[in-house]
Amino acid sequence: MKKLIYTILLVLGTGLFFSSCTREYICQCTLTYSGKPGLPEPLVREYPITDTKNNAISLCEEKSRTYDDNGVHTEEVCEVW
């Protein structure tokens, strides 16, 4: 009987340990435009990411990019909040 109780406590403790490492983070990306007059103000977009902190940071920062299209330079910088 004690062995069964210890096994149940071990399983519950392990599940609690691994679930506590994962939580929801907000990836906030700011888009800035330049190169021509009359472009919009910087735009902010947010994405939820449910993962560990290190994975959330990596996934979010991978969204950062810079590109040019018809003389408009767009820079997207993403950070975890």
Side-chain angles (χ1 to χ4, degrees), residues 61-79:
E61 289 178 353
E62 287 175 2
K63 294 181 183 286
S64 295
R65 61 187 180 145
T66 302
Y67 52 94
D68 293 296
D69 186 27
N70 294 325
V72 176
H73 179 77
T74 304
E75 183 175 15
E76 185 170 11
V77 178
C78 299
E79 298 175 314

Side-chain angles (χ1 to χ4, degrees), residues 41-56:
E41 293 295 317
L43 173 69
V44 177
R45 294 191 282 189
E46 294 183 348
Y47 307 95
I49 298 176
T50 303
D51 211 327
T52 62
K53 184 174 183 177
N54 288 339
N55 285 345

Side-chain angles (χ1 to χ4, degrees), residues 3 8 15-16 23 26 41-42 44-45 56 58 71 74 76 81:
K3 194 172 186 177
I8 291 172
L16 184 61
R23 58 178 268 212
I26 300 297
E41 293 295 317
V44 177
R45 294 191 282 189
S58 294
T74 304
E76 185 170 11
W81 285 81

Side-chain angles (χ1 to χ4, degrees), residues 1-68:
M1 184 68 170
K2 285 184 179 181
K3 194 172 186 177
L4 177 62
I5 292 173
Y6 288 132
T7 304
I8 291 172
L9 289 175
L10 180 65
V11 169
L12 289 175
T14 303
L16 184 61
F17 174 76
F18 284 110
S19 68
S20 66
C21 294
T22 301
R23 58 178 268 212
E24 185 170 297
Y25 296 90
I26 300 297
C27 177
Q28 187 178 68
C29 299
T30 304
L31 285 90
T32 307
Y33 306 97
S34 61
K36 290 187 177 183
L39 293 172
E41 293 295 317
L43 173 69
V44 177
R45 294 191 282 189
E46 294 183 348
Y47 307 95
I49 298 176
T50 303
D51 211 327
T52 62
K53 184 174 183 177
N54 288 339
N55 285 345
I57 290 170
S58 294
L59 290 169
C60 182
E61 289 178 353
E62 287 175 2
K63 294 181 183 286
S64 295
R65 61 187 180 145
T66 302
Y67 52 94
D68 293 296

